[in-house]
Amino acid sequence: MSNFIFGRYLPGHSWIHRMSPQSKLLLSFYFVIVIFFANNGYSYGLLSALIVFVILMSGVSIAYFLKGIRPLIWLIVFTVLLQVLFSSGGHVLWHFGPFSITDQSLINGGFIFIRFLLIIMISTVLTLTTTPLAIADGVQTVLKPLKKVKFPVDTLALMLSIALRFVPTLMDEMETILNAQRARGVDFGSGSLKHRVKAAVPLLVPLFTGAINHAENLSTAMEARGFSDSEHRTKYRLYKWQFRDTISWIVFLLVGGLVLVFRKY
Amino acid sequence: MHQLSVSDFFVHKFGFAVDHEVFNMQNIIEVNQISYNYPERSLLFDNLSLNVREGEWLALIGQNGSGKSTLARLIDGLLVLKSGAITVDGLSVNDENINEIRNRIGIVFQNPEDQFVGATVEDDVAFGLENRQVPREQMHEIVEKSLKSVGMWQFRERIPANLSGGQKQRVAIAGIIALHPKIIILDEATSMLDPQGRKDILQLVRDLKEDNHLTVISITHDIDEAAGADRVVILNQGQIIDENTPDGIFAKPQRLKQIGLDAPYPAKVIEALSRRGITSDKQYMNDEELIAWIKQLVSRM
């Protein structure tokens, strides 16, 4: 789990760390959409330049981003290969049966590769510079308009923050159960697939009942501390829209506009 | 017998009166002839009555399954009575008053992990304040004050996974004192802590009690914790079988053993000495008294 970088938070005090989570969430969304509008060297070049700039601004070392790509590398290679081997049009450089490589398909493959990279980079920047708690709060702010159609936004945010808060607790518990069952002779992680699935039962069932116990105790404790519903509450944390958010949005909107202009060429 | 006042009750039952200063204070909790059973189980409480006086430290002791925790949950309105009535600070426990009552009572539960609602220490302390719709600026002040009073301010940004059990209990206490309750219920709050953590938490609550004139109900298996209380109530199978000052309760270590409870350390020393022919005129002593008495014995030899 330790080399699994996605969803991990690195503390820091950079420009991007101090942006409000709701604007970071929306910016990442917006950026992903803009990526799909890019269709030529100029627009991809511009977006790549922006991402490099963002990474430099985040103050996080490049090594972390490379680590973030590693688990996805096979997916990227596979997709790029498909694109290169099966797309048609342009000057044919090489062909064999149904496979063919053209200059056009090579360019397309390159674009797909950059597209993947950009999407992974922007989401890694988001998760590396934002605490899970702030992300939960950001989601709540972003979804606020849905309240008009009676969507339970506050309840969803509370669920999200409790879920995030219990992730390490349940991980620890899983470790304990794993060791306790090993001490009783259960063999995890070897043998046939069927055997392995069967071995997971003595892990999952106690984990499940444990989770229900947690839920019951937590709800009692919450009630005892005056929790009645998730709507009529004030908030301890406030993530205000700041001047730096406005600046970032201006930069991103400018780049988005330029990408639309470059599309024509 | 329920009609007797408590001091009369002691004169009547044990032939001696108890400290009047403690016993003449106003009742803050009145439990009046309550009955309760969990669904599909036989009656746990049948006509149970108990009064808690303002400003006292009451220890509730008893075996597992004697109904201690259930009583705490009934007082806070987390469970609903079958019959009888409970009054907290003049308010009867019912759906209407439930918020008012929970403003007056803070409970620290046994498992520190499960009562940690917030994602960080700060957020957890603020949880109760958020529920009461305290404005943000005030909230920050109160959270800081509460965390400083339990010595956890420097840990405010930690997540629960990076705290020890004792630290989590401190945070739980901070979350409760932030709400300024009149009553603190410790529901086996120290049972999962090491001896040092236990001592620290109890000292903390003791100091808070003195500073804020709180009433404390501690539900405990730790007999030494009970020995420090103003009054001890023994619950056995849903019934109060004895209530007295710790001196009175622990003077009969044999009877404690019969219902599956241990005697505090000084009581064991006194008993062991009496078996060897060294008897004292007092039935129970606290640590200091015991030391003084032994010193006296030695000097006489």
Side-chain angles (χ1 to χ4, degrees):
Chain A
M1 269 323 193
S2 58
N3 56 8
F4 197 72
I5 191 72
F6 192 78
R8 196 119 66 85
Y9 166 70
L10 285 180
H13 293 283
S14 69
W15 171 286
I16 293 175
H17 274 93
R18 281 181 287 169
M19 274 171 67
S20 67
Q22 59 266 35
S23 85
K24 272 192 271 189
L25 262 175
L26 284 176
L27 268 184
S28 318
F29 243 167
Y30 163 80
F31 188 76
V32 171
I33 292 166
V34 169
I35 290 170
F36 286 99
F37 278 100
N39 64 347
N40 56 26
Y42 298 113
S43 42
Y44 274 115
L46 189 65
L47 290 177
S48 306
L50 179 62
I51 264 298
V52 169
F53 179 66
V54 166
I55 288 174
L56 289 178
M57 288 296 283
S58 75
V60 178
S61 101
I62 283 283
Y64 270 99
F65 292 92
L66 296 179
K67 256 194 199 171
I69 296 166
R70 214 160 42 188
L72 297 168
I73 200 77
W74 292 112
L75 181 73
I76 298 173
V77 168
F78 181 71
T79 319
V80 170
L81 269 181
L82 279 186
Q83 191 71 26
V84 169
L85 293 175
F86 290 105
S87 67
S88 54
H91 181 65
V92 177
L93 301 173
W94 174 87
H95 75 102
F96 173 78
F99 307 110
S100 66
I101 294 177
T102 69
D103 54 352
Q104 193 60 49
S105 75
L106 275 180
I107 292 170
N108 277 344
F111 283 167
I112 292 281
F113 180 70
I114 295 173
R115 199 176 269 187
F116 259 113
L117 225 55
L118 292 177
I119 293 175
I120 294 167
M121 291 295 183
I122 194 79
S123 50
T124 313
V125 169
L126 175 72
T127 53
L128 283 182
T129 61
T130 322
T131 59
L133 179 71
I135 292 181
D137 266 319
V139 169
Q140 185 177 19
T141 313
V142 168
L143 294 183
K144 221 165 227 167
L146 287 180
K147 265 188 187 174
K148 288 220 171 76
V149 292
K150 298 250 164 83
F151 186 79
V153 175
D154 300 305
T155 309
L156 185 81
L158 186 76
M159 265 168 57
L160 200 59
S161 75
I162 288 175
L164 290 169
R165 174 245 168 283
F166 268 96
V167 167
T169 305
L170 290 177
M171 289 279 232
D172 283 351
E173 219 164 89
M174 192 179 79
E175 193 69 38
T176 311
I177 297 169
L178 216 62
N179 287 334
Q181 300 289 25
R182 274 198 193 115
R184 287 164 176 75
V186 178
D187 183 17
F188 294 103
S190 69
S192 67
L193 187 68
K194 195 180 157 199
H195 177 84
R196 283 193 206 197
V197 170
K198 267 191 178 163
V201 173
L203 171 66
L204 290 179
V205 172
L207 199 61
F208 188 73
T209 52
I212 289 179
N213 275 336
H214 282 306
E216 206 175 325
N217 292 337
L218 184 73
S219 62
T220 310
M222 282 170 74
E223 213 184 319
R225 285 164 73 183
F227 180 83
S228 52
D229 64 77
S230 46
E231 240 162 274
H232 300 97
R233 308 178 69 222
T234 46
K235 290 210 67 149
Y236 177 71
R237 289 193 183 267
L238 180 66
Y239 297 98
K240 264 205 209 118
W241 189 278
Q242 296 157 317
F243 182 59
R244 70 179 84 236
D245 292 307
T246 315
I247 300 280
S248 312
W249 270 100
I250 289 172
V251 172
F252 269 65
L253 286 174
L254 269 177
V255 170
L258 281 174
V259 166
L260 286 184
V261 172
F262 287 147
R263 261 177 81 83
K264 308 259 161 63
Y265 291 101
Chain B
M1 200 155 74
H2 291 297
Q3 276 72 40
L4 290 172
S5 81
V6 176
S7 46
D8 290 343
F9 170 80
F10 278 103
V11 175
H12 174 84
K13 190 160 183 182
F14 306 111
F16 64 92
V18 285
D19 188 357
H20 273 268
E21 208 180 313
V22 175
F23 283 84
N24 282 342
M25 278 187 288
Q26 222 184 330
N27 289 338
I28 193 160
I29 299 175
E30 291 178 2
V31 177
N32 239 324
Q33 307 190 350
I34 58 161
S35 302
Y36 179 78
N37 62 321
Y38 283 101
E40 290 164 35
R41 265 188 255 172
S42 57
L43 276 181
L44 176 59
F45 297 128
D46 193 8
N47 260 339
L48 179 88
S49 296
L50 173 72
N51 291 332
V52 183
R53 277 153 212 85
E54 199 163 356
E56 83 171 324
W57 182 301
L58 179 85
L60 204 55
I61 62 175
Q63 282 177 285
N64 288 336
S66 58
K68 308 182 297 289
S69 295
T70 310
L71 189 59
R73 282 167 166 76
L74 285 167
I75 290 171
D76 200 37
L78 293 163
L79 297 171
V80 182
L81 284 173
K82 198 173 168 209
S83 69
I86 297 178
T87 315
V88 176
D89 201 21
L91 292 163
S92 87
V93 177
N94 57 28
D95 281 351
E96 246 168 79
N97 294 333
I98 202 77
N99 288 332
E100 281 297 303
I101 281 163
R102 285 182 188 155
N103 282 345
R104 285 166 170 73
I105 304 177
I107 306 187
V108 184
F109 292 98
Q110 179 177 18
N111 189 337
E113 190 71 48
D114 288 348
Q115 57 188 312
F116 209 110
V117 187
T120 67
V121 168
E122 260 180 298
D123 291 280
D124 189 63
V125 176
F127 179 75
L129 297 166
E130 290 177 324
N131 292 336
R132 284 164 182 79
Q133 301 178 36
V134 177
R136 184 175 295 117
E137 297 74 40
Q138 237 172 304
M139 219 161 11
H140 280 269
E141 258 172 55
I142 299 171
V143 168
E144 182 173 347
K145 222 176 105 197
S146 315
L147 277 175
K148 278 181 175 162
S149 72
V150 298
M152 288 293 291
W153 177 241
Q154 67 270 37
F155 298 104
R156 62 188 175 279
E157 282 173 4
R158 293 269 192 100
I159 59 167
N162 295 340
L163 294 175
S164 73
Q167 287 172 326
K168 277 181 235 176
Q169 287 299 36
R170 278 169 183 268
V171 175
I173 291 169
I176 277 156
I177 59 173
L179 304 171
H180 287 290
K182 287 181 139 183
I183 303 157
I184 288 186
I185 301 179
L186 304 173
D187 187 356
E188 296 185 34
T190 59
S191 65
M192 286 177 143
L193 306 180
D194 58 43
Q196 190 57 47
R198 187 174 294 182
K199 243 184 221 166
D200 290 349
I201 293 285
L202 288 176
Q203 192 53 50
L204 182 71
V205 177
R206 214 160 272 144
D207 293 344
L208 287 169
K209 177 183 178 289
E210 290 313 311
D211 295 346
N212 304 305
H213 193 65
L214 301 170
T215 308
V216 177
I217 302 177
S218 85
I219 293 170
T220 184
H221 285 290
D222 180 14
I223 227 69
D224 294 311
E225 183 178 333
D230 295 323
R231 185 157 63 111
V232 180
V233 171
I234 305 181
L235 210 56
N236 195 34
Q237 294 175 347
Q239 284 184 320
I240 294 175
I241 57 168
D242 201 354
E243 56 175 299
N244 204 339
T245 56
D247 293 13
I249 293 276
F250 298 129
K252 301 168 198 148
Q254 293 302 335
R255 217 180 50 132
L256 283 171
K257 252 177 228 164
Q258 273 169 20
I259 55 164
L261 291 168
D262 204 5
Y265 187 69
K268 283 186 197 162
V269 173
I270 294 167
E271 205 199 341
L273 285 174
S274 76
R275 255 186 276 134
R276 285 163 179 77
I278 306 167
T279 49
S280 79
D281 42 337
K282 278 175 89 177
Q283 286 286 306
Y284 176 71
M285 292 178 252
N286 61 26
D287 291 358
E288 287 81 33
E289 287 170 334
L290 182 71
I291 292 167
W293 177 59
I294 292 174
K295 272 185 186 163
Q296 210 186 347
L297 279 178
V298 173
S299 69
R300 244 188 280 153
M301 278 198 287

